[in-house]
Amino acid sequence: MTVPQQLPPADEFYLAAHDGIGGRALLPRQVLGVGLGAALLGELMFWRRVELAGDALRVIDDRPTGDQATATLLGMLRRPSVPLGPREWITHLSSVIAPSLIEQRLTNAGVLRRETKRRLFGGGEVSLVFADPRTPGEPANRIRTHLSYNQDLDTADLMLAGLILATGLDEMVLDTINPRDRARLNDQFRRHLPHPLHQLVAHARASTAVSA
């Protein structure tokens, strides 16, 4: 199977936040969930299914998305048990919901596979491993390459880079970019990242500060 060159932002964040060889998460589980929850909300905002109205999220297009992860989230946003703002939604999604949705989507796409490790006295432990250990490094490598060649990131990658910074993942995957490239990234945030996604990244940063 050929993996698409660029996956949805939440999938890309999951990849960037893992070591490809051992499959180890580079972030604490709760912080990983913050990034994934924010990225899933960002996908719906990017596709104009959801908008930020003041300090609330409002569904503006509830047609089927054709994707189980975003369809599930859209259904939750349409029928919340209690009204939640974007930061509350990020926190709500971060513990179990967002990681489970993204792991299932990546498994369906063949990027992750389930592997059973047999125990000496019977039974086994099921874990998720990457079909290609090079795949997790691709999102951050793409961002670094664009910056080094002074190329503009598209909106999806700008949001991804913003969430990498908001969760502190940049200390591990963007640590080699020089001050000039960081300045380029900040300039692109200022000029090209839509304001609602700026707000989403800010909410992710605040949620990370509480979760860390």
Side-chain angles (χ1 to χ4, degrees), residues 170-189:
D170 62 303
E171 296 178 7
M172 287 155 277
V173 302
L174 297 181
D175 57 320
T176 58
I177 66 174
N178 58 43
R180 179 195 61 188
D181 291 343
R182 281 192 178 269
R184 287 173 175 167
L185 181 56
N186 289 331
D187 182 61
Q188 289 192 39
F189 283 144

Side-chain angles (χ1 to χ4, degrees), residues 10-188:
D11 295 16
E12 298 263 273
F13 184 87
Y14 186 96
L15 295 179
H18 283 79
D19 170 69
I21 303 300
R24 178 179 61 91
L26 303 177
L27 294 172
R29 186 71 175 179
Q30 190 70 21
V31 177
L32 172 65
V34 165
L36 294 175
L40 267 176
L41 290 171
E43 289 181 22
L44 291 176
M45 292 168 65
F46 181 75
W47 294 326
R48 302 187 186 280
R49 299 305 187 94
V50 171
E51 69 175 6
L52 271 175
D55 198 32
L57 286 165
R58 183 172 66 187
V59 175
I60 56 176
D61 183 352
D62 61 359
R63 290 175 298 171
T65 64
D67 164 66
Q68 186 60 47
T70 50
T72 298
L73 179 53
L74 194 60
M76 293 172 62
L77 289 165
R78 287 179 58 199
R79 297 180 297 275
S81 55
V82 292
L84 297 175
R87 195 173 305 176
E88 290 77 18
W89 269 113
I90 290 171
T91 300
H92 178 63
L93 295 170
S94 65
S95 58
V96 175
I97 299 169
S100 296
L101 288 173
I102 298 309
E103 287 174 347
Q104 186 59 56
R105 189 161 72 177
L106 287 169
T107 300
N108 292 343
V111 178
L112 288 174
R113 70 170 186 268
R114 300 187 185 278
E115 186 175 89
T116 301
K117 295 181 179 179
R118 298 297 177 187
R119 294 175 178 169
L120 182 60
F121 298 105
E125 179 182 347
V126 177
S127 60
L128 291 172
V129 299
F130 290 99
D132 184 343
R134 298 169 297 180
T135 305
E138 291 173 0
N141 183 59
R142 187 176 62 247
I143 291 170
R144 291 193 301 266
T145 300
H146 276 71
L147 292 174
S148 67
Y149 284 97
N150 198 20
Q151 297 172 337
D152 286 344
L153 300 175
D154 63 22
T155 302
D157 269 351
L158 275 177
M159 181 177 72
L160 173 62
L163 293 175
I164 286 173
L165 292 168
T167 56
L169 182 59
D170 62 303
E171 296 178 7
M172 287 155 277
V173 302
L174 297 181
D175 57 320
T176 58
I177 66 174
N178 58 43
R180 179 195 61 188
D181 291 343
R182 281 192 178 269
R184 287 173 175 167
L185 181 56
N186 289 331
D187 182 61
Q188 289 192 39

